[in-house]
Amino acid sequence: MNPKESLSKETYGYQMCLYQNFWCPKFSLEPVIALQRDFQACDTDIFVINMPKTGTTWFKSLLFSLFNRSNEGLLNTQLQTHNPHELILSLEITIYAKDKNPDLTKMPSPRLFSTHLPYDSLPESVKNSKCKIIYITRNPFDTFVSSWHYYSKLENVDNNVGCSSTMEEYFNKFCKGRSLYGPFFDHLMGYWKESLERPKKVLFLKYEDLKEDGVLQMKKVAEFVGFPFSIEEEKQGVVEDLIKLCSIESLKEMEVNKKGKCDPDFENKCFFRKGVVGDAANYLTPPMVERLTKIMEEKLNGSGLSF
Ligand code: A3P
């Protein structure tokens, strides 16, 4: 029997299989195996890593704009004409899904990539080179609600017939760690530990902090990636302009995000829903909040990390 046939299966919008202790979407399994085998990180690479629905699209727009700022300002960049997912490509969802043997050597430095892989499943060269990782997380309540809105849309896709439909069923799976690239808490704890042990290698950010003080967080990011804002830029308000340009209101209004489609299953507009902190309160019942709070407290106990 093909060893892949023996992997445990589950659905969370997409079909998933349990691979290396995380729930890998079935469509990403081959690309993940290929990139784990072949991808060679450079010391100058920068990786955006997170669980789905924790702010991938937003952070890609911020990081891309940070690197593409110039004396002429921020506006004249490809962000106006491309969805952020086309500007910082995912290793498993885009690059290795399209080509099992991509030539990435011609990409300009620093190469910017994204992945949803847990720390333990990263290619060895990513862990061992001097490349940098920026990890973004979000409180599990809003992450879950966002993921439910998004992935339950897939239920009518032909090959997903049979996946669960109610929010309660999705919630049950999320709590059991059976969501895409989950378990959620194992994923974030893997990167949290690395960020404490190797702060120059892994910068750990929270969606909520980016919302509260984007300027402070992006100055931190710019320092971390070695492209800090100059005093002149700070005086000119470049950091504030960057935050404004990448706000959900601004990205939603861009033509490419209103009408485009860079993912076979989703229109670009699906990447931008509410973009607020605390939306989960509008959906989760008190027992649901209690259950997830208890899991969160157990998983994060003693880590120094909280939401
Ligand atoms: P909500 O569903 O809670 O609104 P991802 O990009 O990882 O798929 O995450 C999607 C979540 O990020 C969605 O959350 C989406 O609305 C939110 N988001 C997208 N762009 C954003 C932005 N510029 N600022 C804040 N949140 C944003």
Side-chain angles (χ1 to χ4, degrees):
M1 190 167 64
N2 178 341
K4 284 176 217 147
E5 295 293 317
S6 63
L7 297 173
S8 300
K9 309 273 190 313
E10 180 60 278
T11 54
Y12 197 91
Y14 288 112
Q15 294 176 355
M16 314 182 290
C17 49
L18 190 62
Y19 171 70
Q20 297 183 341
N21 297 321
F22 77 95
W23 287 100
C24 183
K26 213 170 138 204
F27 69 82
S28 277
L29 185 59
E30 297 281 354
V32 164
I33 292 169
L35 80 89
Q36 286 182 324
R37 189 187 53 222
D38 297 335
F39 179 78
Q40 282 306 318
C42 301
D43 286 346
T44 47
D45 288 348
I46 294 163
F47 290 82
V48 174
I49 308 187
N50 62 349
M51 289 285 282
K53 313 322 290 175
T54 59
T56 329
T57 321
W58 181 22
F59 196 75
K60 282 183 178 184
S61 73
L62 287 164
L63 192 68
F64 179 84
S65 303
L66 186 146
F67 273 106
N68 286 276
R69 69 192 201 264
S70 65
N71 291 339
E72 287 82 56
L74 294 162
L75 281 177
N76 219 355
T77 79
Q78 295 179 77
L79 187 66
Q80 308 284 340
T81 49
H82 294 73
N83 177 270
H85 292 288
E86 297 173 288
L87 301 173
I88 299 184
L89 300 180
S90 159
L91 284 176
E92 69 277 10
I93 298 173
T94 310
I95 298 176
Y96 281 83
K98 290 202 172 130
D99 183 350
K100 294 286 171 297
N101 195 14
D103 180 7
L104 304 172
T105 56
K106 305 221 163 49
M107 282 177 73
S109 174
R111 303 185 303 177
L112 309 180
F113 295 111
S114 76
T115 177
H116 290 312
L117 285 179
Y119 185 80
D120 287 345
S121 293
L122 289 175
E124 286 307 310
S125 66
V126 177
K127 294 186 213 168
N128 299 331
S129 68
K130 290 193 180 129
C131 70
K132 299 208 176 228
I133 292 173
I134 304 168
Y135 186 79
I136 302 109
T137 191
R138 186 180 191 187
N139 78 70
F141 308 94
D142 288 339
T143 304
F144 163 70
V145 167
S146 183
S147 76
W148 172 67
H149 276 286
Y150 190 77
Y151 294 114
S152 58
K153 288 198 174 76
L154 284 167
E155 296 203 0
N156 296 327
V157 174
D158 287 341
N159 60 0
N160 278 294
V161 169
C163 54
S164 57
S165 52
T166 66
M167 187 173 83
E168 286 70 22
E169 283 170 308
Y170 270 82
F171 185 73
N172 206 17
K173 290 181 188 181
F174 188 88
C175 287
K176 288 181 172 166
R178 294 169 165 245
S179 62
L180 290 157
Y181 300 92
F184 176 85
F185 293 104
D186 292 359
H187 201 283
L188 69 92
M189 283 307 293
Y191 287 97
W192 174 245
K193 280 189 198 139
E194 283 302 315
S195 75
L196 296 179
E197 277 164 29
R198 296 198 287 167
K200 289 201 172 117
K201 168 97 183 159
V202 182
L203 178 68
F204 193 95
L205 299 179
K206 287 189 203 159
Y207 180 102
E208 292 76 16
D209 293 342
L210 265 176
K211 273 301 255 194
E212 192 179 306
D213 194 344
V215 170
L216 179 74
Q217 298 301 318
M218 286 314 291
K219 281 197 217 167
K220 217 197 279 182
V221 171
E223 290 279 347
F224 178 74
V225 297
F227 194 17
F229 294 99
S230 64
I231 294 172
E232 201 50 42
E233 282 181 309
E234 288 196 20
K235 273 194 203 142
Q236 286 167 359
V238 174
V239 201
E240 284 80 0
D241 289 348
L242 175 83
I243 301 298
K244 212 164 144 197
L245 175 71
C246 300
S247 68
I248 191 159
E249 295 78 17
S250 153
L251 294 179
K252 258 187 189 176
E253 281 310 306
M254 291 177 190
E255 219 43 37
V256 62
N257 295 325
K258 278 186 183 167
K259 301 210 174 112
K261 190 167 192 262
C262 67
D263 181 293
D265 298 323
F266 293 98
E267 292 179 272
N268 289 349
K269 63 180 177 208
C270 298
F271 294 113
F272 311 96
R273 198 178 63 91
K274 287 192 188 167
V276 297
V277 175
D279 186 43
N282 298 315
Y283 295 91
L284 302 184
T285 62
M288 286 167 133
V289 173
E290 199 182 318
R291 179 175 174 195
L292 192 47
T293 303
K294 202 161 160 251
I295 297 170
M296 177 172 75
E297 284 171 358
E298 273 166 21
K299 299 281 182 185
L300 303 187
N301 185 24
S303 68
L305 181 60
S306 62
F307 288 99

